[in-house]
Amino acid sequence: MKKHPWKNLDKLKNAVRGKKIILFGPPGSGKGNRSRDLEALGLVHVSSGIALRAAVKDDPESDLSKNAASYMEQGALVPDEIIVPIIMEHLSQEKCQTNGFILDGFPRTQAQAEALFSKIKIDLALYLDVPRKFLVFGIIEGNRRVCVECATGYSDFDLPHIEGVCDKCGGKLVTRADDHIETIEKRLKLYDEQTKPFLPYIKVKTALEILPITLRDEEDIDEKYLKTLKGQVYWVETDQGVKARMLNLEGMRERLYNLLAEKFL
Ligand code: ADP
Ligand code: ZN
């Protein structure tokens, strides 16, 4: 991994202040964790999944909650009429305007993308490129668990220091209700059908950068940046059918910060 092209984190924080970034990637590609990394730079995290789950939790008896919850439980997309106003309301808040934001899980349909771009100028779209083989495997076999407080994700590939407890905030780690095989397959299918096809449109509207999780064979890298399973470096089959090593949480953070530095510093 390249050495930091920035001298200290404050310099990078200043450079990204006020930037408006959207994150793309299928379920299990690490959107939540990249969002944490971007939040650490001072950007406000706006997640459609978290916003929806919060709306349902706050007022479970409302028509909106019951309606949204029924889609979410099935792993189906919540209708645009429900999600678009919720997200636009979040983004119009003062803190998002001044600090900048990272938008995670939205837009997921062409109509959502049009609603967003008609109102807000986005500085960067990041696409999280993760081998297909790893998406379901990482969630199910890796036993994905998330922090109830700050939503940081862990798995057997990225273990917390103390089992059941979030490294960052001490919150409790739980398995998400929709993290079972049928729902994940369905969410992946929806991603392929509805979200992936409008990436070319995003590219027309803003700068699109790819952030791969795999490494090239010859890349020389400290093992502390690699995903391991039961103490061994983990190799995944890529979509091109070759074997590659993958970056872990720390490695991906470095790769992301390097990219932002190249872009904005
Ligand atoms: P994941 O990316 O792992 O599928 P999220 O937490 O982003 O999970 O979303 C959970 C659920 O919330 C989705 O399966 C869907 O039902 C709903 N949802 C989230 N974002 C959107 C969106 N932009 N449009 C429609 N439904 C959404
Ligand atoms: Zn936490």
Side-chain angles (χ1 to χ4, degrees), residues 154-212:
Y154 299 88
S155 74
D156 292 351
F157 299 94
D158 291 292
L159 289 165
H161 288 118
I162 302 167
E163 194 43 70
V165 182
C166 178
D167 288 354
K168 291 201 180 139
C169 75
K172 190 175 162 215
L173 306 183
V174 298
T175 303
R176 259 173 55 176
D178 56 355
D179 272 355
H180 51 83
I181 185 83
E182 298 82 17
T183 326
I184 294 165
E185 299 277 8
K186 200 159 166 189
R187 275 149 59 203
L188 275 170
K189 193 160 168 272
L190 274 176
Y191 176 81
D192 285 341
E193 288 170 1
Q194 304 211 26
T195 306
K196 217 170 173 195
F198 71 84
L199 279 178
Y201 170 77
I202 298 293
K203 214 172 162 179
V204 173
K205 292 289 179 184
T206 184
L208 178 70
E209 296 282 347
I210 297 173
L211 198 66

Side-chain angles (χ1 to χ4, degrees), residues 45-227:
H45 179 217
V46 179
S47 150
S48 53
I50 293 174
L52 281 167
R53 284 191 287 275
V56 171
K57 203 172 151 200
D58 284 352
D59 188 3
E61 292 311 313
S62 73
D63 287 347
L64 182 144
S65 294
K66 284 184 186 154
N67 200 354
S70 69
Y71 289 97
M72 291 166 78
E73 277 156 19
Q74 295 167 38
L77 287 184
V78 170
D80 293 336
E81 309 82 79
I82 295 181
I83 185 71
V84 171
I86 293 180
I87 295 299
M88 296 316 282
E89 200 272 318
H90 269 80
L91 298 183
S92 65
Q93 289 170 12
E94 178 66 28
K95 61 175 185 191
C96 284
Q97 293 302 319
T98 40
N99 300 316
F101 60 76
I102 164 72
L103 182 52
D104 152 21
F106 184 100
R108 262 195 178 70
T109 65
Q110 176 80 24
Q112 291 177 13
E114 284 169 12
L116 175 69
F117 285 107
S118 71
K119 291 259 162 54
I120 296 177
K121 162 126 180 37
I122 299 295
D123 297 295
L124 176 64
L126 283 173
Y127 177 70
L128 303 180
D129 186 16
V130 176
R132 194 64 182 214
K133 277 256 160 86
F134 191 73
L135 291 173
V136 178
F137 188 79
I139 296 175
I140 301 293
E141 304 293 325
N143 186 19
R144 171 158 92 168
R145 39 217 188 259
V146 293
C147 172
V148 288
E149 302 296 336
C150 76
T152 296
Y154 299 88
S155 74
D156 292 351
F157 299 94
D158 291 292
L159 289 165
H161 288 118
I162 302 167
E163 194 43 70
V165 182
C166 178
D167 288 354
K168 291 201 180 139
C169 75
K172 190 175 162 215
L173 306 183
V174 298
T175 303
R176 259 173 55 176
D178 56 355
D179 272 355
H180 51 83
I181 185 83
E182 298 82 17
T183 326
I184 294 165
E185 299 277 8
K186 200 159 166 189
R187 275 149 59 203
L188 275 170
K189 193 160 168 272
L190 274 176
Y191 176 81
D192 285 341
E193 288 170 1
Q194 304 211 26
T195 306
K196 217 170 173 195
F198 71 84
L199 279 178
Y201 170 77
I202 298 293
K203 214 172 162 179
V204 173
K205 292 289 179 184
T206 184
L208 178 70
E209 296 282 347
I210 297 173
L211 198 66
I213 196 172
T214 50
L215 286 150
R216 292 184 312 277
D217 251 4
E218 69 283 7
E219 252 176 285
D220 185 23
I221 187 169
D222 192 321
E223 220 177 89
K224 75 171 190 188
Y225 289 124
L226 295 173
K227 272 204 198 309

